[in-house]
Short mmCIF file of all heavy atoms in Angstrom, two decimals:
data_model
loop_
_atom_site.label_atom_id
_atom_site.label_comp_id
_atom_site.label_asym_id
_atom_site.label_seq_id
_atom_site.Cartn_x
_atom_site.Cartn_y
_atom_site.Cartn_z
N MET J 1 0.82 -1.15 0.00
CA MET J 1 0.01 -0.01 0.02
C MET J 1 0.86 1.25 0.00
O MET J 1 1.87 1.30 0.69
CB MET J 1 -0.89 -0.05 1.22
CG MET J 1 -1.98 0.99 1.17
SD MET J 1 -3.20 0.33 2.33
CE MET J 1 -4.30 1.61 2.41
N SER J 2 0.46 2.26 -0.73
CA SER J 2 1.25 3.45 -0.92
C SER J 2 0.64 4.65 -0.19
O SER J 2 -0.60 4.71 -0.03
CB SER J 2 1.32 3.74 -2.41
OG SER J 2 1.85 5.03 -2.62
N ASP J 3 1.46 5.59 0.21
CA ASP J 3 1.02 6.81 0.82
C ASP J 3 0.71 7.88 -0.26
O ASP J 3 0.42 9.03 0.07
CB ASP J 3 2.05 7.35 1.84
CG ASP J 3 2.03 6.60 3.10
OD1 ASP J 3 2.39 5.42 3.08
OD2 ASP J 3 1.61 7.19 4.14
N HIS J 4 0.89 7.55 -1.55
CA HIS J 4 0.73 8.50 -2.60
C HIS J 4 -0.71 9.01 -2.64
O HIS J 4 -1.68 8.27 -2.61
CB HIS J 4 1.08 7.85 -3.97
CG HIS J 4 0.90 8.75 -5.11
ND1 HIS J 4 1.69 9.85 -5.30
CD2 HIS J 4 0.04 8.71 -6.15
CE1 HIS J 4 1.32 10.46 -6.40
NE2 HIS J 4 0.28 9.77 -6.93
N ASP J 5 -0.85 10.34 -2.69
CA ASP J 5 -2.14 10.98 -2.76
C ASP J 5 -2.41 11.42 -4.20
O ASP J 5 -1.79 12.30 -4.71
CB ASP J 5 -2.15 12.20 -1.84
CG ASP J 5 -3.50 12.89 -1.78
OD1 ASP J 5 -4.42 12.49 -2.50
OD2 ASP J 5 -3.64 13.87 -1.04
N ASP J 6 -3.38 10.73 -4.85
CA ASP J 6 -3.69 11.05 -6.25
C ASP J 6 -4.27 12.42 -6.44
O ASP J 6 -4.29 12.97 -7.54
CB ASP J 6 -4.69 10.03 -6.80
CG ASP J 6 -4.06 8.64 -7.01
OD1 ASP J 6 -2.80 8.57 -7.11
OD2 ASP J 6 -4.79 7.67 -7.02
N GLN J 7 -4.73 13.08 -5.36
CA GLN J 7 -5.32 14.44 -5.47
C GLN J 7 -4.26 15.54 -5.33
O GLN J 7 -4.57 16.66 -5.64
CB GLN J 7 -6.37 14.57 -4.39
CG GLN J 7 -7.45 13.52 -4.43
CD GLN J 7 -8.14 13.39 -5.78
OE1 GLN J 7 -8.49 14.37 -6.43
NE2 GLN J 7 -8.32 12.15 -6.26
N SER J 8 -3.11 15.20 -4.82
CA SER J 8 -2.08 16.21 -4.58
C SER J 8 -1.68 16.91 -5.82
O SER J 8 -1.38 16.26 -6.89
CB SER J 8 -0.89 15.52 -3.95
OG SER J 8 0.14 16.48 -3.72
N GLY J 9 -1.69 18.23 -5.84
CA GLY J 9 -1.24 19.03 -6.99
C GLY J 9 -2.34 19.28 -7.99
O GLY J 9 -2.08 20.03 -8.95
N LYS J 10 -3.50 18.71 -7.85
CA LYS J 10 -4.57 18.93 -8.80
C LYS J 10 -5.19 20.33 -8.55
O LYS J 10 -5.26 20.77 -7.40
CB LYS J 10 -5.65 17.88 -8.73
CG LYS J 10 -5.20 16.57 -9.33
CD LYS J 10 -6.40 15.65 -9.40
CE LYS J 10 -5.97 14.30 -10.04
NZ LYS J 10 -7.05 13.35 -10.10
N PRO J 11 -5.74 20.96 -9.60
CA PRO J 11 -6.41 22.24 -9.38
C PRO J 11 -7.72 21.99 -8.56
O PRO J 11 -8.22 20.86 -8.57
CB PRO J 11 -6.73 22.72 -10.77
CG PRO J 11 -6.51 21.60 -11.69
CD PRO J 11 -5.64 20.63 -10.99
N VAL J 12 -8.18 23.07 -7.94
CA VAL J 12 -9.38 22.97 -7.12
C VAL J 12 -10.58 23.72 -7.73
O VAL J 12 -10.45 24.86 -8.10
CB VAL J 12 -9.12 23.53 -5.70
CG1 VAL J 12 -10.41 23.51 -4.86
CG2 VAL J 12 -8.01 22.73 -5.03
N LEU J 13 -11.69 23.06 -7.84
CA LEU J 13 -12.95 23.65 -8.22
C LEU J 13 -13.67 23.94 -6.87
O LEU J 13 -13.97 22.99 -6.15
CB LEU J 13 -13.83 22.75 -9.04
CG LEU J 13 -15.19 23.29 -9.48
CD1 LEU J 13 -15.58 22.76 -10.84
CD2 LEU J 13 -16.26 23.03 -8.46
N SER J 14 -13.81 25.23 -6.54
CA SER J 14 -14.52 25.60 -5.33
C SER J 14 -15.96 25.89 -5.63
O SER J 14 -16.28 26.65 -6.59
CB SER J 14 -13.86 26.82 -4.73
OG SER J 14 -12.54 26.58 -4.33
N ALA J 15 -16.90 25.35 -4.89
CA ALA J 15 -18.31 25.55 -5.11
C ALA J 15 -19.00 25.85 -3.79
O ALA J 15 -18.71 25.24 -2.77
CB ALA J 15 -18.94 24.31 -5.76
N ARG J 16 -19.96 26.75 -3.86
CA ARG J 16 -20.69 27.16 -2.65
C ARG J 16 -22.17 27.22 -3.00
O ARG J 16 -22.54 27.80 -4.06
CB ARG J 16 -20.28 28.56 -2.19
CG ARG J 16 -18.80 28.68 -1.84
CD ARG J 16 -18.47 27.93 -0.60
NE ARG J 16 -17.07 28.05 -0.21
CZ ARG J 16 -16.14 27.14 -0.50
NH1 ARG J 16 -16.43 26.05 -1.18
NH2 ARG J 16 -14.89 27.30 -0.14
N LEU J 17 -22.99 26.70 -2.14
CA LEU J 17 -24.43 26.79 -2.30
C LEU J 17 -24.85 28.22 -2.00
O LEU J 17 -24.43 28.79 -0.99
CB LEU J 17 -25.14 25.82 -1.34
CG LEU J 17 -26.62 25.66 -1.51
CD1 LEU J 17 -26.95 25.14 -2.96
CD2 LEU J 17 -27.16 24.71 -0.49
N ASN J 18 -25.60 28.85 -2.91
CA ASN J 18 -26.03 30.22 -2.78
C ASN J 18 -27.55 30.25 -2.98
O ASN J 18 -28.01 30.46 -4.06
CB ASN J 18 -25.31 31.03 -3.85
CG ASN J 18 -25.62 32.53 -3.73
OD1 ASN J 18 -25.89 33.01 -2.66
ND2 ASN J 18 -25.53 33.23 -4.84
N GLY J 19 -28.22 29.99 -1.84
CA GLY J 19 -29.72 29.89 -1.96
C GLY J 19 -30.05 28.57 -2.59
O GLY J 19 -29.81 27.51 -2.02
N THR J 20 -30.60 28.59 -3.78
CA THR J 20 -30.98 27.34 -4.47
C THR J 20 -30.03 27.02 -5.63
O THR J 20 -30.29 26.05 -6.36
CB THR J 20 -32.39 27.42 -4.99
OG1 THR J 20 -32.55 28.50 -5.89
CG2 THR J 20 -33.39 27.59 -3.84
N THR J 21 -29.02 27.83 -5.84
CA THR J 21 -28.08 27.62 -6.93
C THR J 21 -26.63 27.49 -6.38
O THR J 21 -26.40 27.78 -5.22
CB THR J 21 -28.12 28.74 -8.01
OG1 THR J 21 -27.79 29.99 -7.38
CG2 THR J 21 -29.51 28.80 -8.64
N ILE J 22 -25.73 27.13 -7.26
CA ILE J 22 -24.32 26.94 -6.86
C ILE J 22 -23.50 27.99 -7.64
O ILE J 22 -23.65 28.13 -8.83
CB ILE J 22 -23.87 25.54 -7.20
CG1 ILE J 22 -24.62 24.55 -6.29
CG2 ILE J 22 -22.38 25.41 -7.00
CD1 ILE J 22 -24.37 23.06 -6.66
N ARG J 23 -22.62 28.62 -6.92
CA ARG J 23 -21.61 29.50 -7.53
C ARG J 23 -20.29 28.73 -7.47
O ARG J 23 -20.06 28.00 -6.51
CB ARG J 23 -21.51 30.83 -6.83
CG ARG J 23 -22.78 31.65 -6.96
CD ARG J 23 -22.74 33.04 -6.39
NE ARG J 23 -21.58 33.86 -6.81
CZ ARG J 23 -21.46 34.47 -7.95
NH1 ARG J 23 -22.38 34.36 -8.86
NH2 ARG J 23 -20.40 35.23 -8.22
N ALA J 24 -19.43 28.94 -8.48
CA ALA J 24 -18.20 28.16 -8.47
C ALA J 24 -17.04 29.04 -8.99
O ALA J 24 -17.26 30.09 -9.63
CB ALA J 24 -18.38 26.95 -9.37
N LYS J 25 -15.85 28.60 -8.67
CA LYS J 25 -14.65 29.18 -9.28
C LYS J 25 -13.60 28.08 -9.39
O LYS J 25 -13.64 27.04 -8.72
CB LYS J 25 -14.10 30.32 -8.42
CG LYS J 25 -13.47 29.95 -7.12
CD LYS J 25 -12.84 31.12 -6.42
CE LYS J 25 -12.18 30.74 -5.13
NZ LYS J 25 -11.37 31.79 -4.59
N TRP J 26 -12.67 28.29 -10.32
CA TRP J 26 -11.56 27.37 -10.58
C TRP J 26 -10.45 28.16 -11.14
O TRP J 26 -10.63 29.37 -11.46
CB TRP J 26 -11.94 26.18 -11.43
CG TRP J 26 -12.61 26.54 -12.75
CD1 TRP J 26 -11.98 26.86 -13.91
CD2 TRP J 26 -14.00 26.57 -13.03
NE1 TRP J 26 -12.89 27.10 -14.89
CE2 TRP J 26 -14.13 26.92 -14.37
CE3 TRP J 26 -15.13 26.32 -12.27
CZ2 TRP J 26 -15.38 27.04 -14.98
CZ3 TRP J 26 -16.40 26.44 -12.92
CH2 TRP J 26 -16.49 26.76 -14.23
N PRO J 27 -9.24 27.63 -11.25
CA PRO J 27 -8.13 28.44 -11.78
C PRO J 27 -8.47 29.14 -13.10
O PRO J 27 -8.95 28.54 -14.04
CB PRO J 27 -7.02 27.37 -11.98
CG PRO J 27 -7.33 26.33 -10.95
CD PRO J 27 -8.88 26.28 -10.91
N GLY J 28 -8.24 30.45 -13.10
CA GLY J 28 -8.55 31.24 -14.24
C GLY J 28 -9.95 31.86 -14.28
O GLY J 28 -10.30 32.64 -15.14
N LYS J 29 -10.79 31.48 -13.28
CA LYS J 29 -12.17 32.01 -13.23
C LYS J 29 -12.41 32.59 -11.82
O LYS J 29 -11.98 32.03 -10.82
CB LYS J 29 -13.22 30.85 -13.46
CG LYS J 29 -13.29 30.33 -14.79
CD LYS J 29 -14.05 31.28 -15.69
CE LYS J 29 -14.23 30.67 -17.07
NZ LYS J 29 -14.92 31.53 -17.98
N ARG J 30 -13.18 33.67 -11.80
CA ARG J 30 -13.62 34.19 -10.53
C ARG J 30 -14.93 33.49 -10.12
O ARG J 30 -15.44 32.71 -10.88
CB ARG J 30 -13.93 35.71 -10.68
CG ARG J 30 -12.74 36.57 -11.02
CD ARG J 30 -13.19 37.98 -11.09
NE ARG J 30 -12.16 38.77 -11.77
CZ ARG J 30 -12.25 40.07 -11.90
NH1 ARG J 30 -13.31 40.70 -11.45
NH2 ARG J 30 -11.30 40.71 -12.53
N TRP J 31 -15.43 33.81 -8.94
CA TRP J 31 -16.75 33.27 -8.53
C TRP J 31 -17.76 33.69 -9.61
O TRP J 31 -17.85 34.84 -9.96
CB TRP J 31 -17.17 33.85 -7.15
CG TRP J 31 -16.42 33.22 -6.07
CD1 TRP J 31 -15.43 33.81 -5.31
CD2 TRP J 31 -16.59 31.93 -5.52
NE1 TRP J 31 -14.97 32.93 -4.34
CE2 TRP J 31 -15.67 31.77 -4.48
CE3 TRP J 31 -17.43 30.83 -5.85
CZ2 TRP J 31 -15.56 30.59 -3.70
CZ3 TRP J 31 -17.34 29.67 -5.10
CH2 TRP J 31 -16.41 29.56 -4.07
N HIS J 32 -18.54 32.74 -10.04
CA HIS J 32 -19.47 32.98 -11.12
C HIS J 32 -20.56 31.90 -11.15
O HIS J 32 -20.44 30.89 -10.48
CB HIS J 32 -18.81 33.03 -12.47
CG HIS J 32 -18.28 31.70 -12.94
ND1 HIS J 32 -17.21 31.13 -12.37
CD2 HIS J 32 -18.81 30.84 -13.79
CE1 HIS J 32 -17.02 29.93 -12.93
NE2 HIS J 32 -18.02 29.69 -13.81
N GLY J 33 -21.52 32.09 -11.99
CA GLY J 33 -22.52 31.05 -12.31
C GLY J 33 -23.66 30.93 -11.33
O GLY J 33 -23.65 31.37 -10.21
N LYS J 34 -24.70 30.35 -11.84
CA LYS J 34 -25.86 29.95 -11.10
C LYS J 34 -26.21 28.57 -11.57
O LYS J 34 -27.20 28.34 -12.27
CB LYS J 34 -27.05 30.94 -11.34
CG LYS J 34 -26.82 32.28 -10.76
CD LYS J 34 -28.03 33.15 -10.91
CE LYS J 34 -27.83 34.47 -10.22
NZ LYS J 34 -28.99 35.34 -10.33
N TYR J 35 -25.36 27.61 -11.16
CA TYR J 35 -25.50 26.21 -11.57
C TYR J 35 -26.59 25.54 -10.76
O TYR J 35 -26.74 25.81 -9.60
CB TYR J 35 -24.19 25.51 -11.45
CG TYR J 35 -23.09 26.12 -12.26
CD1 TYR J 35 -22.04 26.81 -11.63
CD2 TYR J 35 -23.07 26.02 -13.61
CE1 TYR J 35 -21.06 27.40 -12.35
CE2 TYR J 35 -22.09 26.62 -14.39
CZ TYR J 35 -21.08 27.30 -13.78
OH TYR J 35 -20.08 27.88 -14.50
N LYS J 36 -27.33 24.66 -11.40
CA LYS J 36 -28.46 24.02 -10.69
C LYS J 36 -27.92 22.90 -9.77
O LYS J 36 -28.58 22.59 -8.77
CB LYS J 36 -29.46 23.43 -11.65
CG LYS J 36 -28.89 22.32 -12.55
CD LYS J 36 -29.95 21.79 -13.51
CE LYS J 36 -29.30 20.73 -14.37
NZ LYS J 36 -30.20 20.16 -15.30
N ASP J 37 -26.72 22.34 -10.05
CA ASP J 37 -26.16 21.32 -9.14
C ASP J 37 -24.69 21.20 -9.42
O ASP J 37 -24.12 21.86 -10.31
CB ASP J 37 -26.84 19.95 -9.36
CG ASP J 37 -26.75 19.39 -10.80
OD1 ASP J 37 -25.76 19.64 -11.50
OD2 ASP J 37 -27.72 18.74 -11.21
N ILE J 38 -23.98 20.42 -8.58
CA ILE J 38 -22.56 20.30 -8.68
C ILE J 38 -22.12 19.67 -10.00
O ILE J 38 -21.06 20.06 -10.55
CB ILE J 38 -21.97 19.51 -7.43
CG1 ILE J 38 -20.44 19.67 -7.37
CG2 ILE J 38 -22.33 18.08 -7.47
CD1 ILE J 38 -19.93 21.08 -7.11
N HIS J 39 -22.91 18.84 -10.56
CA HIS J 39 -22.56 18.24 -11.86
C HIS J 39 -22.48 19.26 -12.94
O HIS J 39 -21.60 19.20 -13.81
CB HIS J 39 -23.59 17.11 -12.20
CG HIS J 39 -23.68 16.04 -11.16
ND1 HIS J 39 -22.63 15.16 -10.95
CD2 HIS J 39 -24.62 15.78 -10.22
CE1 HIS J 39 -22.96 14.36 -9.92
NE2 HIS J 39 -24.17 14.71 -9.47
N GLU J 40 -23.43 20.18 -12.94
CA GLU J 40 -23.42 21.24 -13.93
C GLU J 40 -22.20 22.15 -13.81
O GLU J 40 -21.58 22.52 -14.79
CB GLU J 40 -24.69 22.06 -13.83
CG GLU J 40 -24.86 23.03 -14.97
CD GLU J 40 -26.19 23.79 -14.92
OE1 GLU J 40 -26.52 24.38 -13.84
OE2 GLU J 40 -26.93 23.77 -15.91
N ALA J 41 -21.79 22.45 -12.55
CA ALA J 41 -20.58 23.20 -12.34
C ALA J 41 -19.36 22.45 -12.84
O ALA J 41 -18.46 23.04 -13.48
CB ALA J 41 -20.43 23.54 -10.81
N CYS J 42 -19.27 21.19 -12.58
CA CYS J 42 -18.12 20.37 -13.06
C CYS J 42 -18.08 20.28 -14.57
O CYS J 42 -17.05 20.41 -15.17
CB CYS J 42 -18.21 18.92 -12.50
SG CYS J 42 -17.93 18.89 -10.71
N ASP J 43 -19.30 20.17 -15.20
CA ASP J 43 -19.35 20.19 -16.67
C ASP J 43 -18.82 21.47 -17.25
O ASP J 43 -18.12 21.53 -18.25
CB ASP J 43 -20.80 19.92 -17.13
CG ASP J 43 -21.24 18.50 -16.90
OD1 ASP J 43 -20.40 17.63 -16.63
OD2 ASP J 43 -22.49 18.30 -16.99
N ALA J 44 -19.14 22.59 -16.56
CA ALA J 44 -18.67 23.90 -17.02
C ALA J 44 -17.14 24.00 -16.91
O ALA J 44 -16.47 24.54 -17.79
CB ALA J 44 -19.34 25.02 -16.23
N ALA J 45 -16.59 23.47 -15.83
CA ALA J 45 -15.13 23.46 -15.65
C ALA J 45 -14.46 22.62 -16.73
O ALA J 45 -13.46 23.00 -17.28
CB ALA J 45 -14.77 22.96 -14.25
N HIS J 46 -15.04 21.47 -17.02
CA HIS J 46 -14.48 20.62 -18.07
C HIS J 46 -14.53 21.36 -19.45
O HIS J 46 -13.57 21.32 -20.19
CB HIS J 46 -15.27 19.30 -18.17
CG HIS J 46 -14.93 18.35 -17.10
ND1 HIS J 46 -13.65 17.82 -16.84
CD2 HIS J 46 -15.70 17.72 -16.17
CE1 HIS J 46 -13.64 17.02 -15.85
NE2 HIS J 46 -14.93 16.94 -15.38
N ALA J 47 -15.66 21.98 -19.70
CA ALA J 47 -15.82 22.73 -20.96
C ALA J 47 -14.85 23.87 -21.06
O ALA J 47 -14.45 24.27 -22.17
CB ALA J 47 -17.26 23.23 -21.07
N ASP J 48 -14.40 24.39 -19.92
CA ASP J 48 -13.42 25.48 -19.89
C ASP J 48 -12.00 24.96 -19.98
O ASP J 48 -11.04 25.75 -19.91
CB ASP J 48 -13.66 26.31 -18.61
CG ASP J 48 -13.04 27.67 -18.64
OD1 ASP J 48 -13.12 28.32 -19.68
OD2 ASP J 48 -12.42 28.07 -17.62
N GLY J 49 -11.83 23.67 -20.10
CA GLY J 49 -10.50 23.12 -20.35
C GLY J 49 -9.86 22.49 -19.08
O GLY J 49 -8.75 22.01 -19.15
N LEU J 50 -10.56 22.48 -17.94
CA LEU J 50 -10.00 21.86 -16.75
C LEU J 50 -10.34 20.37 -16.80
O LEU J 50 -11.45 19.95 -16.62
CB LEU J 50 -10.66 22.53 -15.52
CG LEU J 50 -9.92 22.44 -14.20
CD1 LEU J 50 -8.57 23.08 -14.32
CD2 LEU J 50 -10.69 23.13 -13.12
N GLY J 51 -9.34 19.56 -17.08
CA GLY J 51 -9.55 18.15 -17.30
C GLY J 51 -9.75 17.32 -16.04
O GLY J 51 -10.55 16.41 -15.97
N SER J 52 -9.03 17.66 -14.97
CA SER J 52 -9.06 16.91 -13.76
C SER J 52 -8.90 17.89 -12.60
O SER J 52 -8.10 18.83 -12.66
CB SER J 52 -7.90 15.92 -13.76
OG SER J 52 -7.85 15.19 -12.54
N PHE J 53 -9.67 17.70 -11.56
CA PHE J 53 -9.64 18.62 -10.42
C PHE J 53 -10.21 18.01 -9.17
O PHE J 53 -10.84 17.00 -9.18
CB PHE J 53 -10.42 19.90 -10.72
CG PHE J 53 -11.80 19.67 -11.32
CD1 PHE J 53 -12.91 19.39 -10.55
CD2 PHE J 53 -11.93 19.66 -12.72
CE1 PHE J 53 -14.10 19.13 -11.13
CE2 PHE J 53 -13.20 19.42 -13.29
CZ PHE J 53 -14.26 19.16 -12.50
N VAL J 54 -9.92 18.67 -8.04
CA VAL J 54 -10.47 18.29 -6.74
C VAL J 54 -11.65 19.24 -6.48
O VAL J 54 -11.58 20.40 -6.78
CB VAL J 54 -9.41 18.44 -5.63
CG1 VAL J 54 -9.97 18.19 -4.25
CG2 VAL J 54 -8.23 17.55 -5.88
N ILE J 55 -12.71 18.74 -5.89
CA ILE J 55 -13.90 19.53 -5.65
C ILE J 55 -13.93 19.94 -4.17
O ILE J 55 -13.85 19.06 -3.30
CB ILE J 55 -15.19 18.77 -6.02
CG1 ILE J 55 -15.18 18.42 -7.49
CG2 ILE J 55 -16.41 19.60 -5.66
CD1 ILE J 55 -16.30 17.48 -7.89
N ASP J 56 -14.06 21.23 -3.92
CA ASP J 56 -14.24 21.78 -2.56
C ASP J 56 -15.67 22.37 -2.56
O ASP J 56 -15.86 23.48 -3.07
CB ASP J 56 -13.22 22.82 -2.25
CG ASP J 56 -13.47 23.51 -0.92
OD1 ASP J 56 -14.16 22.97 -0.05
OD2 ASP J 56 -12.91 24.63 -0.78
N TYR J 57 -16.64 21.61 -2.05
CA TYR J 57 -18.04 21.98 -2.15
C TYR J 57 -18.60 22.24 -0.77
O TYR J 57 -18.68 21.33 0.07
CB TYR J 57 -18.84 20.90 -2.85
CG TYR J 57 -20.28 21.15 -3.07
CD1 TYR J 57 -20.83 22.40 -3.24
CD2 TYR J 57 -21.18 20.07 -3.09
CE1 TYR J 57 -22.15 22.64 -3.44
CE2 TYR J 57 -22.54 20.28 -3.29
CZ TYR J 57 -23.02 21.56 -3.47
OH TYR J 57 -24.36 21.76 -3.68
N VAL J 58 -19.02 23.48 -0.45
CA VAL J 58 -19.59 23.81 0.84
C VAL J 58 -21.10 24.07 0.66
O VAL J 58 -21.49 24.90 -0.13
CB VAL J 58 -18.88 25.05 1.45
CG1 VAL J 58 -19.56 25.51 2.72
CG2 VAL J 58 -17.42 24.77 1.67
N THR J 59 -21.87 23.39 1.44
CA THR J 59 -23.36 23.61 1.38
C THR J 59 -23.84 24.44 2.56
O THR J 59 -24.93 24.97 2.48
CB THR J 59 -24.12 22.26 1.41
OG1 THR J 59 -23.77 21.53 2.57
CG2 THR J 59 -23.74 21.43 0.15
N GLU J 60 -23.01 24.58 3.61
CA GLU J 60 -23.42 25.36 4.74
C GLU J 60 -22.19 25.96 5.41
O GLU J 60 -21.22 25.27 5.71
CB GLU J 60 -24.16 24.46 5.71
CG GLU J 60 -24.81 25.17 6.88
CD GLU J 60 -25.62 24.23 7.74
OE1 GLU J 60 -26.49 23.53 7.16
OE2 GLU J 60 -25.41 24.23 8.96
N GLU J 61 -22.20 27.26 5.64
CA GLU J 61 -21.14 27.96 6.32
C GLU J 61 -21.39 27.96 7.82
O GLU J 61 -22.51 28.08 8.26
CB GLU J 61 -21.02 29.39 5.84
CG GLU J 61 -20.77 29.56 4.37
CD GLU J 61 -19.27 29.44 3.99
OE1 GLU J 61 -18.44 29.59 4.87
OE2 GLU J 61 -18.97 29.21 2.80
N ASP J 62 -20.33 27.88 8.63
CA ASP J 62 -20.47 27.95 10.09
C ASP J 62 -20.37 29.40 10.55
O ASP J 62 -19.62 30.14 10.16
CB ASP J 62 -19.30 27.21 10.78
CG ASP J 62 -19.37 25.73 10.47
OD1 ASP J 62 -20.07 25.32 9.59
OD2 ASP J 62 -18.64 25.04 11.19
#
């Protein structure tokens, strides 16, 4: 078994629930969008050229 982390060094797609929609940002993009779900945000990141990424998705702030 290896200690290698496959997520290390990957870009981060940050997503936040904003009422009933999701706003997101990733490298090269500011906070934007009114995505209906996390899948739609990921599809947009892929369409923007981000092939692989780690998702940081917050649904509730403390």
Side-chain angles (χ1 to χ4, degrees):
M1 192 159 172
S2 168
D3 282 69
H4 179 65
D5 182 358
D6 290 337
Q7 305 304 316
S8 179
K10 287 188 178 178
V12 176
L13 179 149
S14 298
R16 302 290 182 261
L17 189 60
N18 185 27
T20 59
T21 60
I22 294 173
R23 294 185 52 76
K25 72 174 183 170
W26 52 83
K29 290 283 186 182
R30 297 182 195 184
W31 285 106
H32 70 285
K34 290 187 177 181
Y35 301 108
K36 64 180 179 179
D37 58 35
I38 192 66
H39 302 289
E40 189 176 52
C42 291
D43 289 346
H46 285 301
D48 198 42
L50 203 60
S52 178
F53 46 85
V54 175
I55 300 169
D56 174 21
Y57 181 32
V58 175
T59 58
E60 188 174 308
E61 300 275 343
D62 295 12

